[in-house]
Amino acid sequence: MTLDYGHAEGFAAASREHLEPIAAQARILVVEDDDNIAALLGRELRGLGHTVDTVRYAEDALFAARANDYTLMIVDLGLPDGDGLDLVREMRRRTVEAPILMLTARRRVEDRVMGLTSGADDYLVKPFAVPEMRARVTALLRRPSRLRGHRIAIANMVVDADALEAIVDGVSLALPRKQFQLLELLARRKNHMTPKRMVEEALYGFDDDVTANSIEAQISKLRRALKAAGAGVALETRRGIGYRLVGAGGAPN
Amino acid sequence: MRTPRPTGQDLKLLDPDGSFRARLDADRQAIAQLSDSGRLEDLARIVHGLAGAAGTFGYAEVGNIAIELDDRFVAGEPVRAADVARLLAALEQALGLPGKSA
């Protein structure tokens, strides 16, 4: 049997120059024991602007899913400590709602059907073409049931999660990716205190090198950018607790 | 449709630090040893890994032969020494070491 798993343009499209725009940045859990495949997935998905956590074992995946609110999971079926099918069933039993893309070298139709009936949302057979993987991830993230509120208004500012853009008085505010992720998180929780740990989990993956001052530095830069743009908001810091975004003067918006 | 051969640039994009290529070489040596020793379970595990990964990283010929052998292992069908030799030859070709197992 000869599988056609990549066209010439498919390989070429692995280039960053050919990346397609996506709806929103997501936090993705990759459960894969093949180090090369895991690294490839992490690299490609981070290249799309997502935060990616990678684990090798089903047990670690359950722990990670309990500790984090993932937008999407990619689960390999052949894991060292169990079957990925059982992992997906257990995730669903625990009411994990994130879409799951199954990844497997099992190529038979009955395997694919079993994967989908166990609770997975889509199925990608190894070997896979990177552009197809990206397209499937993008499609899963685009599903209406997974969409969250996209435009969050606060004072004279709108945070548009689809366009990855903050708009102040109708003028687009160009923010680096991390600062936009931070702003989106705080805007979604506007008027509420957001614990520092939650900020850290939203902005950084397991493997990211986060220093004690990383979050403070991002907060400081975001505060300066909002002030410079004339945003009528205040980004408050409560030492030892976290951060809060409020309309200017502290009045709820 | 014939699977096109990826260019060197494609392979570099898919494996920028060369870790998959290094794995191919390690797998090649392991397969050679295991096929001599007859440890089929370990051989099947390596072949299964190659069946899933080699094509993803652009090594089409290695991937296709590994898939063929993996299907036989899964079906409980015999895997002949000549089949393993074909896989080794494809690995050597991919690594630029032609002719060793010929």
Side-chain angles (χ1 to χ4, degrees):
Chain A
M1 177 172 58
T2 298
L3 295 181
D4 176 18
Y5 41 78
H7 305 292
E9 64 271 25
F11 285 107
S15 161
R16 293 279 181 273
E17 296 167 9
H18 293 77
L19 294 181
E20 64 274 26
I22 58 161
Q25 291 156 339
R27 187 178 182 113
I28 298 174
L29 177 65
V30 173
V31 190
E32 169 62 82
D33 66 319
D34 184 309
D35 292 340
N36 296 110
I37 296 283
L40 175 68
L41 289 169
R43 198 165 53 242
E44 291 295 328
L45 295 171
R46 287 187 190 100
L48 291 173
H50 302 306
T51 298
V52 182
D53 296 328
T54 304
V55 295
R56 291 175 61 94
Y57 298 97
E59 188 181 348
D60 293 341
L62 287 172
F63 180 81
R66 199 164 48 234
N68 298 285
D69 184 18
Y70 289 104
T71 328
L72 172 74
M73 299 187 193
I74 299 178
V75 177
D76 180 52
L77 284 198
L79 298 170
D81 61 338
D83 193 316
L85 286 172
D86 294 334
L87 172 61
V88 171
R89 287 191 195 102
E90 182 61 19
M91 294 265 198
R92 294 309 187 208
R93 195 184 68 75
R94 294 184 184 195
T95 66
V96 171
E97 292 185 348
I100 296 175
L101 172 62
M102 271 194 171
L103 194 59
T104 179
R106 299 175 197 171
R107 292 168 290 273
R108 298 180 311 164
V109 171
E110 51 265 46
D111 289 330
R112 297 201 293 271
V113 170
M114 195 178 293
L116 293 169
T117 54
S118 72
D121 296 77
D122 198 4
Y123 201 99
L124 184 59
V125 176
K126 294 180 186 174
F128 59 86
V130 169
E132 182 183 354
M133 179 277 292
R134 286 199 302 246
R136 287 183 186 276
V137 165
T138 303
L140 285 171
L141 293 175
R142 198 190 295 131
R143 287 188 177 180
S145 61
R146 312 299 178 191
L147 294 180
R148 299 177 294 173
H150 297 286
R151 291 171 66 88
I152 308 146
I154 178 166
N156 62 339
M157 178 174 69
V158 172
V159 179
D160 189 330
D162 274 346
L164 306 179
E165 182 180 42
I167 300 158
V168 178
D169 284 334
V171 178
S172 177
L173 171 60
L175 291 172
R177 182 168 65 90
K178 285 273 188 251
Q179 281 177 52
F180 181 82
Q181 285 178 299
L182 175 58
L183 178 60
E184 183 190 345
L185 172 68
L186 296 174
R188 285 188 190 285
R189 295 178 53 79
K190 65 183 178 183
N191 303 321
H192 295 280
M193 194 56 66
T194 301
K196 185 175 178 181
R197 185 168 164 271
M198 186 183 288
V199 174
E200 193 173 304
E201 287 176 356
L203 263 60
Y204 299 99
F206 292 161
D207 300 330
D208 287 334
D209 191 18
V210 186
T211 66
N213 291 326
S214 298
I215 304 295
E216 276 79 5
Q218 294 291 351
I219 288 282
S220 179
K221 287 176 187 170
L222 178 59
R223 188 179 282 129
R224 282 200 300 272
L226 292 173
K227 186 178 179 185
V233 298
L235 205 175
E236 301 172 351
T237 297
R238 285 187 66 185
R239 297 280 169 214
I241 298 180
Y243 311 95
R244 184 169 73 151
L245 190 67
V246 295
N253 186 287
Chain B
M1 181 187 293
R2 181 100 183 129
T3 302
R5 187 179 295 276
T7 66
Q9 186 184 5
D10 293 328
L11 296 180
K12 188 75 181 168
L13 285 168
L14 292 165
D15 186 26
D17 62 359
S19 60
F20 187 75
R21 187 181 166 82
R23 166 183 164 177
L24 281 185
D25 197 26
D27 283 353
R28 177 186 66 84
Q29 295 175 46
I31 289 168
Q33 287 179 357
L34 291 170
S35 62
D36 288 342
S37 68
R39 288 160 56 193
L40 291 183
E41 195 171 314
D42 290 337
L43 181 62
R45 183 177 47 77
I46 294 175
V47 166
H48 181 74
L50 283 175
T56 300
F57 285 88
Y59 295 93
E61 187 67 16
V62 172
N64 284 329
I65 297 172
I67 287 169
E68 191 184 316
L69 268 58
D70 186 41
D71 285 344
R72 282 196 212 159
F73 277 123
V74 170
E77 295 171 4
V79 174
R80 294 178 296 270
D83 298 321
V84 178
R86 271 199 304 134
L87 178 59
L88 284 170
L91 281 163
E92 287 158 5
Q93 181 76 26
L95 292 163
L97 307 167
K100 278 196 170 184
S101 66

